[in-house]
Amino acid sequence: MNQERPLTLTPALEKAINELQGRISERFPQASFVVEEGFDPKGIYLVTTVDIADTDEVIDVVGDRLLELQVDEGLPIYVTPLRPIQRVVAELQEREHATSPSPLPLP
């Protein structure tokens, strides 16, 4: 069994994570966060779980600032928005039980 080692963040990365979390929480108060190290690309990932239909809305909130942090400040930080697994499973079950539309008649 592998034990995870704790993340060691620079003060700049800590500040950036707190800022991004704040911006996301302001728009999506129900958001939850996990900070983890990633390797493709290598960096720190702020994994954000939000119960919304379109997770692109999360990137809309932080995208410009995230780009500044990455390009201008050189921070290897990324945001990965996810939907709760319960919502994804429920939507898959709805699709499974939905009736297929009847085919159009051929002329």
Side-chain angles (χ1 to χ4, degrees):
M1 179 180 217
N2 292 338
Q3 289 186 343
E4 291 185 32
R5 60 187 169 119
L7 285 177
T8 304
L9 302 175
T10 65
L13 277 170
E14 282 188 41
K15 182 179 175 189
I17 288 168
N18 289 333
E19 178 184 346
L20 294 171
Q21 283 179 336
R23 287 176 184 234
I24 294 167
S25 292
E26 189 175 296
R27 175 70 173 85
F28 306 104
Q30 77 280 17
S32 62
F33 304 95
V34 174
V35 178
E36 59 188 25
E37 188 173 10
F39 299 99
D40 191 19
K42 186 174 170 73
I44 300 301
Y45 287 74
L46 177 60
V47 181
T48 306
T49 302
V50 186
D51 193 1
I52 55 177
D54 185 1
T55 56
D56 286 346
E57 292 179 41
V58 175
I59 299 301
D60 291 343
V61 171
V62 295
D64 291 338
R65 181 61 181 137
L66 184 60
L67 189 62
E68 290 173 2
L69 291 167
Q70 292 169 338
V71 175
D72 298 341
E73 299 181 31
L75 296 176
I77 187 167
Y78 306 93
V79 174
T80 305
L82 301 174
R83 297 184 313 155
I85 190 69
Q86 299 87 349
R87 181 175 176 137
V88 174
V89 168
E91 287 180 6
L92 288 173
Q93 289 173 340
E94 284 178 25
R95 284 187 204 168
E96 193 174 279
H97 297 307
T99 59
S100 300
S102 55
L104 296 172
L106 296 174

